[in-house]
């Protein structure tokens, strides 16, 4: 429902419904919670959906308090360990049924709702170690081992799609816990770091798959990479994990290897075109203009995640509590920045750590794109304001000409207005991300330069070169 505590019709309607439901008292709470924990099939799914809505509209927190004091939330989380083999069976090429997958999706949707509340989030933090015991996370299909894993049958989604349906909600739940504020944030970061290291092989495989030249880049794989880089970037490198140094070093190496691919503005157009071609080849209905912009937003998010990881690693490196796994992660090479717009892609494909020159070039291009994005956003807003005066030729840019030509002009304008609003929303995301990326690039360069203070002649030279 996504209801908020505003003085509108929907919130008043939700409040009245909640009053009626709470009138049935604790016995009704017990029935719903028991169905959500030990119910069967549809009854369990409906109970989880009902709890999802009730927690979202219960401003007093009575339902959340009942779930915590009676131990129902802990039972739901730990039950994932009991369902582990069943969820692994869902990833077979021809599973018996997909009921466990649908129940799992309902449960994860409820957990994500719970993570938005302070009490629920704190309880979920304490239960993260039990999530680390789930082995279905490690059952990622390999694109090299089986081509059929990426193909969809007549009824079942592809194995890769099913794997994403299992893993991505869990990773997003951990992200939600990491983004919470409170006294448990440090504990959450430590336990999520432990989760990542416990499944370091599959996280490494996710990162390395985007470095292989023969791998196909699709929208689903970009969504996977965006979630994984966000999780690794935000959890950082936990303290007290010295025994896991080789695993953390490997993850850091794979993250840095993605820099020349996703932190190089000149590569983005090629990545967007490849994703669009893959979607069209697989027979997906693609609105090219909107799909292109959404793909670019995903690539921007991946870039922002990598830069956030870079900044966090360098800050840890410079702190007095630095872990031994932190290393100097940027080479102080400005040759790319001095080459200007025509820098060689061969240099970017090397296995060396990312250079400051790459970041300077990327910063310059992002600032230029930020200015263009602001102008484009203003133009789109003007077109939306004057949608009734747009001629038929301009309408074709925002409508599907194969199906819209037979419709009246007013209906075409209404559809074009809807797509323009969606395009404006995506463009606004792009502009905001360009701004965030520019700030992260500036921060990364300043941190790298600050490490040169022990060398008195290096900093003036680099400052002079950059200007």
């Amino acid at each position: 429902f996504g209801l908020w505590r505003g003085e509108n019709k929907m919130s008043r309607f939700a409040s009245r419904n909640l009053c009626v439901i709470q009138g049935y008292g604790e016995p009704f709470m017990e029935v719903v919670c028991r169905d959500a924990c030990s119910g069967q099939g549809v009854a369990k799914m409906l109970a989880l959906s009902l709890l999802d809505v009730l927690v979202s509209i219960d401003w007093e927190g009575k339902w959340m308090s009942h779930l915590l004091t009676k131990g129902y939330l802990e039972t739901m989380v730990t039950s994932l360990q009991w369902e582990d083999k069943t969820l692994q069976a869902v990833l077979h090429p021809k599973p018996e049924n997909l009921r466990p997958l649908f129940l799992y999706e309902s449960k994860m949707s409820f957990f994500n709702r719970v993570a938005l509340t302070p009490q629920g989030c704190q309880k979920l933090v304490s239960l993260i170690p039990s999530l680390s015991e789930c082995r279905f996370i490690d059952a990622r299909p390999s694109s090299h081992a089986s081509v059929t894993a990426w193909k969809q049958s007549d009824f079942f989604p592809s194995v890769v799609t099913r794997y994403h349906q299992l893993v991505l909600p869990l990773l997003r739940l951990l992200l939600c816990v990491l983004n919470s504020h409170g006294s448990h944030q440090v504990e959450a970061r430590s336990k999520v770091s432990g989760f990542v290291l416990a499944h370091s092989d599959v996280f490494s495989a996710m990162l390395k798959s985007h470095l292989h030249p023969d791998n196909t880049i699709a929208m689903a794989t970009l969504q996977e990479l965006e979630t994984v880089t966000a999780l690794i970037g935000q959890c950082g490198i936990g303290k007290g994990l010295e025994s896991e140094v080789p695993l953390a070093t490997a993850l850091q190496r794979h993250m840095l290897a993605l820099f020349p691919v996703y932190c190089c503005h000149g590569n983005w157009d090629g990545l967007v075109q490849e994703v669009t071609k893959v979607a069209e080849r697989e027979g997906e209905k693609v609105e090219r203009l909107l799909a292109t912009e959404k793909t670019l937003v995903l690539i921007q998010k991946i870039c922002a995640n990598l830069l956030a990881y870079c900044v966090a690693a360098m800050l840890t490196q410079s702190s007095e509590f630095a872990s031994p796994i932190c290393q100097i992660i940027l080479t102080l090479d400005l040759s790319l920045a001095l080459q200007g717009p025509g820098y060689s892609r061969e240099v970017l494909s090397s296995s060396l750590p990312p250079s400051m020159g790459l970041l300077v070039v990327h910063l310059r291009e992002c600032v230029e794109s930020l200015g263009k994005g602001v102008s484009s956003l203003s133009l789109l807003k003007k077109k939306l304001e004057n949608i009734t005066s747009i001629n038929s030729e301009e309408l074709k840019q925002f409508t599907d000409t194969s199906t819209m030509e037979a419709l009246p002009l007013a209906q075409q304008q209404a559809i074009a207005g809807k797509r323009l609003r969606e395009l404006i929303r995506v463009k606004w995301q792009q502009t905001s991300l360009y701004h965030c990326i520019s700030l992260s690039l500036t921060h990364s360069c300043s941190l790298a330069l600050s490490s040169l203070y022990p060398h008195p002649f290096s900093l003036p030279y680099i400052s002079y070169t950059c200007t």
Side-chain angles (χ1 to χ4, degrees):
F1 276 78
L3 303 173
W4 294 92
R5 194 179 182 182
E7 290 299 326
N8 53 50
K9 292 182 180 179
M10 285 300 294
S11 63
R12 289 197 296 270
F13 180 70
S15 298
R16 291 168 185 170
N17 282 342
L18 183 63
C19 290
V20 173
I21 292 173
Q22 289 181 341
Y24 292 98
E26 190 170 328
F28 181 73
M29 288 183 174
E30 285 291 321
V31 171
V32 175
C33 293
R34 286 177 183 174
D35 282 348
C37 289
S38 57
Q40 298 296 322
V42 177
K44 187 173 186 177
M45 191 180 301
L46 289 175
L48 287 167
S49 300
L50 179 59
L51 282 175
D52 192 343
V53 175
L54 289 172
V55 169
S56 69
I57 64 176
D58 183 15
W59 320 122
E60 298 178 359
K62 292 182 179 179
W63 282 85
M64 180 56 61
S65 177
H66 187 80
L67 286 164
L68 294 174
T69 55
K70 299 291 185 179
Y72 286 117
L73 181 60
E74 183 173 356
T75 301
M76 291 181 201
V77 175
T78 54
S79 67
L80 289 176
Q81 297 180 33
W82 313 333
E83 301 164 1
D84 190 26
K85 291 186 177 179
T86 307
L87 294 174
Q88 290 182 47
V90 170
L91 298 175
H92 291 169
K94 293 184 179 179
E96 294 182 4
N97 62 76
L98 296 181
R99 185 183 301 170
L101 175 60
F102 301 144
L103 289 171
Y104 171 84
E105 288 182 315
S106 297
K107 187 176 292 186
M108 295 308 298
S109 175
F110 171 63
F111 289 162
N112 276 277
R113 178 72 67 182
V114 168
L116 297 176
T117 64
Q119 308 96 323
C121 185
Q122 187 170 0
K123 185 63 176 178
L124 288 174
V125 168
S126 65
L127 297 174
I128 289 176
S130 64
L131 296 176
S132 301
E133 301 296 325
C134 298
R135 308 320 304 176
F136 68 84
I137 303 166
D138 301 319
R140 183 178 186 269
S142 171
S143 57
H144 300 291
S146 175
V147 178
T148 58
W150 295 80
K151 293 184 178 179
Q152 183 168 340
S153 64
D154 294 335
F155 178 74
F156 293 115
S158 67
V159 179
V160 172
T161 301
R162 278 176 265 151
Y163 178 77
H164 287 161
Q165 287 177 281
L166 288 175
V167 172
L168 294 187
L170 177 56
L171 301 186
R172 287 167 184 153
L173 173 63
L174 297 177
L175 275 173
C176 190
V177 170
L178 281 174
N179 289 325
S180 65
H181 298 283
S183 59
H184 56 274
Q185 191 174 22
V186 175
E187 181 187 3
R189 184 169 298 175
S190 175
K191 290 190 175 181
V192 173
S193 297
F195 176 92
V196 172
L197 293 174
H199 300 280
S200 59
D201 289 342
V202 71
F203 282 105
S204 295
M206 290 175 181
L207 297 174
K208 287 192 294 185
S209 66
H210 290 262
L211 299 172
H212 199 284
D214 297 332
N215 276 5
T216 301
I217 299 178
M219 183 67 80
T221 57
L222 282 181
Q223 290 171 346
E224 177 189 78
L225 183 63
E226 187 271 327
T227 307
V228 170
T229 52
L231 185 65
I232 296 176
Q234 291 189 32
C235 73
I237 301 172
K239 298 180 178 66
L241 296 172
E242 286 77 8
S243 60
E244 309 290 348
V245 166
L247 299 179
T249 304
L251 286 174
Q252 185 182 83
R253 186 171 61 251
H254 299 323
M255 289 283 284
L256 296 180
L258 292 169
F259 262 74
V261 181
Y262 291 96
C263 292
C264 175
H265 192 276
N267 291 342
W268 289 2
D269 288 341
L271 291 170
V272 169
Q273 291 175 9
E274 183 176 350
V275 171
T276 305
K277 288 179 181 177
V278 169
E280 291 176 345
R281 188 166 62 245
E282 293 179 353
E284 297 180 13
K285 187 178 179 181
V286 178
E287 295 180 9
R288 180 173 286 273
L289 180 60
L290 198 55
T292 298
E293 302 299 337
K294 288 183 176 180
T295 304
L296 182 57
V297 167
L298 266 180
I299 295 172
Q300 286 179 303
K301 288 181 178 180
I302 294 170
C303 175
N305 294 337
L306 293 172
L307 289 169
Y309 177 82
C310 176
V311 170
M314 285 193 287
L315 283 174
T316 307
Q317 167 73 16
S318 62
S319 72
E320 59 180 344
F321 302 104
S323 173
I325 56 179
C326 294
Q327 304 170 2
I328 296 175
I329 61 175
L330 292 177
T331 61
L332 302 175
D333 179 11
L334 292 170
S335 57
L336 283 176
L338 297 176
Q339 289 177 18
Y343 55 88
S344 173
R345 295 291 189 271
E346 296 179 0
V347 179
L348 301 182
S349 62
S350 65
S351 58
L352 295 173
S355 67
M356 274 193 62
L358 174 62
L359 298 188
V360 171
V361 170
H362 192 35
L363 174 60
R364 184 169 56 210
E365 293 177 340
C366 282
V367 171
E368 292 176 0
S369 298
L370 176 60
K372 294 178 182 177
V374 171
S375 301
S376 177
L377 191 59
S378 301
L379 183 61
L380 289 173
K381 288 180 178 179
K382 288 180 180 178
K383 287 186 177 181
L384 182 61
E385 293 172 357
N386 303 314
I387 190 68
T388 55
S389 60
I390 292 180
N391 56 43
S392 57
E393 290 298 324
E394 289 180 316
L395 283 175
K396 291 179 181 179
Q397 300 177 13
F398 309 105
T399 57
D400 185 1
T401 55
S402 61
T403 58
M404 297 298 171
E405 289 180 350
L407 297 177
L409 180 61
Q411 194 168 352
Q412 290 185 33
Q413 290 173 345
I415 295 172
K418 181 179 179 181
R419 293 184 181 174
L420 261 175
R421 281 187 286 272
E422 178 69 14
L423 190 59
I424 288 171
R425 186 184 66 82
V426 176
K427 278 286 186 182
W428 183 85
Q429 279 185 302
Q430 287 181 12
T431 306
S432 301
L433 284 167
Y434 272 128
H435 183 252
C436 293
I437 291 170
S438 301
L439 291 177
S440 296
L441 286 166
T442 305
H443 197 184
S444 300
C445 292
S446 64
L447 286 173
L449 286 172
S450 66
S451 66
L452 297 177
Y453 277 123
H455 308 281
F457 297 106
S458 299
L459 186 57
Y461 171 74
I462 291 179
S463 301
Y464 172 77
T465 307
C466 288
T467 55

